[in-house]
């Protein structure tokens, strides 16, 4: 595969007083579901000027999320019509806008909003309403991973229970990309976060990393079983538990919830279902829920809540309260490494691979 | 044990223009937790006139609920101070009222409201606010079992999802006392009820009984696994599942829930916990909850919602839309039979034993 620079044939034209591009874009396309490195083919496409409500976007960076891999595999509930371009989030710079585009201009930096995939490409034509303008000062990794993990963490903390400063949240898989955002948001909002991770050889290093991010407390799956942190009233009993593991781990965090606590499941890394004792439902009034960012985004595409959330998160990123989770940029022509490694994550924290189109 | 009639020494006196009683009451008292027939002792007590805010009540009938047995066993979350009188619900007739009692008069029929036990007694002194006046026309079994099962069914159907006529509810343990109330309320409110029961030799008789009560559909645990009633759109997918069994049975009814459906657990007869697949939480947005009538009653003791519910249910009982579930009256001096049989229920439907003090 040619590098991005070599295949773009940029033709500057002057027409109606606007710069016009004719761009040869490269997209990561799949025409059948299967293992990403087998079914995905880099494919060239000639892009012309955008239609009246569209813009021509040069992508800067786009992460490879686990859900993106599952989508290509065909095991995700949302199956895009084939052939499809992979990737659902990313940041780009606008090259050209259609004549009816009101709120975006060439040079603006935007993130991709829609739940339809298609961000693993050097350039693309997008509708104005598929994009959200962000400040250029935002870090590239933060911008590229803006719409999924921080938003998932934000909504899960806000939408199921009203947590006040001094309240407690417990989560498993705390080193996941979403978990790292949860830790940082809890710190900003004054919520104590009790963070559960699997034991591992470099556990002290992981505990140190998460503590520096803002974790109030980091415990292994074994340590949480025998902890007395809630009995000694060091922390209030959690009102909210976030679960991305399932099985025994989910039961363990649920067991510590206080009266009327809620557990929100957003992943199932152990592949075991969630088990809840009958007594927890009846006598502790625990409820259990699920969260899926894709559905929330679809249902709130036009909502003030979404704009408010975006603005909140952008401010927290600009003020360095929220950093992108552990990540590594991968040059676009090395995309296969990113695809292969996303579901077999090495290292102490969930490392996110971000395709770099520059 | 003497019969009730023989031990009451009624002394009618005239003082301050009011009839006064001095009553020898018999109560079923336990001074330690344990198997009810071992630890419960009939105990005589002399009752004098009620204090200003109290009434002297002659009990007419009081059921033996499974929770009453568990309370005596000491395995219920609420442990009354010992010695205690068993039983939490029942109906009685007021013999005498204290001078500050405003809304009750001798001869009134009332049900016992508080969550404190103490209804297995021939007579008792109760606070005015522990009692709710009901029409004398209400059937004795309906009145005696008024505050637990019909109210549990009522709240579970109303409080977790908004069901409209034509919507579907699914429940397991549909032949339980609560389940029978659910069936009748669904019929009144135009909700399709899909009712799951265990297979048994007299299954046809049970199906006929529940259908006559108002069940839209009755299926065994085996039949629900392979049913196509939701695929053929004979019924809409249920938005609400009521679970008093747990384990596989709970999973089976949860599996049929539609998008955003809720499962409410109010019992766990199988003693197996509730298991929920991760995908049901994330992609179907299923939530699971618990319901405990005792807590609701405590938290809503003064609420308009409770009065409204009582009035609704009374009207439905008077209009013969709600009947007491299958039951058997047991003379008070035969109380041991009721205690022994409540947790080892025979017969095709959950039969409730009601102590008859007359």
């Amino acid at each position: 595969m040619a590098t991005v620079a070599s295949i773009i044939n940029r033709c500057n034209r002057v027409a109606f007083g606007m710069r016009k591009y004719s761009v040869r874009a490269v997209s990561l396309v799949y025409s059948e579901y299967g293992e990403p490195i087998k079914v995905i083919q880099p494919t060239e496409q000639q892009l012309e000027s955008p239609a009246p409500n569209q813009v021509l976007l040069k992508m800067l960076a786009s992460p490879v999320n686990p859900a993106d891999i599952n989508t290509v595999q065909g095991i995700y509930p949302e199956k895009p019509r084939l052939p499809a371009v992979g990737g659902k989030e990313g940041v780009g710079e606008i090259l050209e806008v259609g004549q009816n585009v009101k709120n975006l201009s060439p040079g603006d930096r935007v993130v991709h909003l829609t739940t339809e995939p298609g961000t693993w490409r050097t350039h693309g034509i997008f509708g104005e309403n598929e994009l959200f303008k962000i400040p250029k000062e935002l870090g590239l990794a933060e911008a590229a991973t803006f719409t999924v993990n921080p938003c998932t963490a934000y909504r899960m903390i806000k939408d199921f229970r009203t947590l006040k400063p001094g309240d407690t949240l417990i989560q498993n898989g705390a080193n996941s990309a979403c978990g790292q955002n949860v830790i940082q948001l809890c710190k900003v909002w004054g919520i104590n976060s009790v963070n559960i991770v699997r034991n591992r050889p470099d556990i002290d290093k992981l505990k140190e990393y998460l503590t520096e991010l803002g974790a109030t407390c980091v415990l292994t799956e074994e340590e949480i079983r025998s902890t007395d942190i809630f009995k000694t009233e060091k922390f209030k009993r959690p009102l909210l538990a976030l679960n991305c593991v399932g099985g025994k781990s989910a039961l363990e965090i649920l067991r510590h919830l206080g009266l009327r606590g809620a557990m929100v499941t957003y992943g199932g890394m152990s592949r075991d279902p969630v088990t809840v004792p009958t007594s927890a439902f009846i006598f502790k009034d625990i409820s259990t829920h699920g969260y899926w960012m894709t559905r929330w985004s679809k249902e709130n595409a036009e909502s003030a809540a979404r704009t408010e959330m975006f603005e909140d998160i952008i401010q927290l990123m600009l003020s360095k309260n929220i950093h992108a989770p552990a990540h590594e940029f991968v040059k676009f022509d090395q995309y296969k490494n990113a695809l292969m490694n996303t579901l077999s994550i090495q290292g102490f924290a969930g490392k996110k691979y971000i395709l770099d189109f520059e």
Side-chain angles (χ1 to χ4, degrees), chain A:
Chain A
M1 180 188 159
T3 62
V4 175
S6 71
I7 55 157
I8 298 179
N9 174 18
R10 206 175 270 190
C11 303
N12 294 347
R13 293 173 290 154
V14 177
F16 309 110
M18 294 162 69
R19 281 168 37 148
K20 293 282 180 180
Y21 293 89
S22 174
V23 170
R24 283 194 75 74
V26 180
S27 306
L28 297 187
V29 175
Y30 56 107
S31 300
E32 58 179 321
Y33 298 116
E35 278 316 300
I37 58 163
K38 289 186 184 159
V39 299
I40 279 185
Q41 297 295 334
T43 305
E44 294 191 18
Q45 187 188 5
Q46 187 74 27
L47 297 181
E48 299 298 339
S49 288
N53 292 307
Q54 293 181 324
V55 307
L56 171 62
L57 189 69
K58 169 177 154 49
M59 291 301 295
L60 300 172
S62 171
V64 179
N65 287 315
D68 297 330
I69 301 289
N70 293 150
T71 302
V72 179
Q73 290 169 325
I75 60 174
Y76 207 61
E78 298 212 304
K79 293 189 171 42
R81 200 179 310 165
L82 301 181
V85 177
K88 270 170 105 171
E89 68 172 345
V91 58
E93 185 186 312
I94 291 177
L95 296 181
E96 186 180 343
V97 301
Q99 60 194 7
N100 294 343
V101 169
K102 296 275 184 300
N103 301 311
L104 298 173
S105 310
D108 281 352
R109 195 161 279 200
V110 292
V111 293
H112 180 250
L113 282 186
T114 62
T115 53
E116 298 299 310
T119 55
W120 295 345
R121 62 198 335 154
T122 60
H123 303 74
I125 302 279
F126 294 95
E128 180 180 15
N129 60 3
E130 295 180 83
L131 304 168
F132 183 82
K133 184 175 170 180
I134 58 166
K136 286 177 188 151
E137 300 75 35
L138 214 55
L140 195 64
E142 281 76 13
T145 62
F146 173 77
T147 60
V148 178
N149 293 139
C151 295
T152 302
Y154 185 101
R155 294 253 68 92
M156 290 197 299
I157 300 172
K158 286 206 174 244
D159 289 354
F160 294 88
R161 287 294 180 271
T162 303
L163 299 179
K164 301 181 303 294
D167 285 342
T168 309
L169 173 153
I170 189 168
Q171 66 167 339
N172 60 21
N175 54 328
S176 67
C178 184
Q180 294 176 53
N181 278 288
V182 168
I183 288 170
Q184 296 176 86
L185 285 171
C186 281
K187 185 171 184 203
V188 168
W189 292 331
I191 298 162
N192 291 315
S193 67
V194 176
N195 299 279
I196 315 304
V197 294
R198 274 179 298 183
N199 200 5
R200 60 198 72 206
D202 56 355
I203 183 69
D204 290 341
K205 199 173 147 200
L206 174 56
K207 286 189 174 187
E208 192 183 317
Y209 173 74
L210 297 180
T211 303
E212 273 178 26
L213 270 186
T216 319
C217 173
V218 186
L219 299 170
T220 65
E221 300 275 1
E222 291 72 34
E223 287 165 345
I224 186 66
R225 264 170 224 145
S226 55
T227 186
D228 64 354
I229 57 169
F230 303 116
K231 288 175 191 150
T232 58
E233 303 201 9
K234 188 173 170 186
F235 298 105
K236 290 187 204 171
R237 288 244 167 224
L239 292 177
L240 185 63
L242 304 181
N243 165 47
C244 64
V245 180
K248 282 183 191 170
S249 175
L251 178 60
E252 198 54 48
I253 62 171
L254 181 134
R255 202 169 66 77
H256 291 288
L257 282 174
L259 184 70
R260 296 241 152 87
M263 183 164 83
V264 181
T265 291
Y266 68 102
M269 288 193 290
S270 73
R271 294 175 188 244
D272 291 325
V274 171
T275 300
V276 184
T278 298
S279 59
F281 281 129
I282 300 178
F283 303 124
K284 284 180 75 182
D285 206 9
I286 301 300
S287 62
T288 66
H289 309 262
Y291 185 77
W292 190 23
M293 193 69 223
T294 299
R295 185 177 41 239
W296 192 93
S297 298
K298 278 188 185 173
E299 293 175 354
N300 292 274
E302 309 296 329
S303 74
R306 187 163 83 163
T307 310
E308 185 188 335
M309 171 176 73
F310 286 165
E311 287 169 358
D312 270 5
I313 294 175
I314 286 170
Q315 286 311 312
L316 291 170
M317 286 177 163
L318 290 173
S319 60
K320 308 292 182 199
N321 283 294
I322 301 281
H323 302 270
H327 60 274
E328 181 178 326
F329 282 102
V330 175
K331 289 286 175 199
F332 189 34
D333 56 6
Q334 303 297 309
Y335 75 90
K336 285 187 179 177
N337 292 339
L339 297 184
M340 279 189 297
N341 293 336
T342 291
L343 286 193
S344 58
I345 288 165
Q346 307 294 320
F348 64 84
K351 186 193 281 182
K352 197 173 283 293
Y353 294 93
I354 304 176
L355 298 175
D356 173 4
F357 302 98
E358 291 276 26

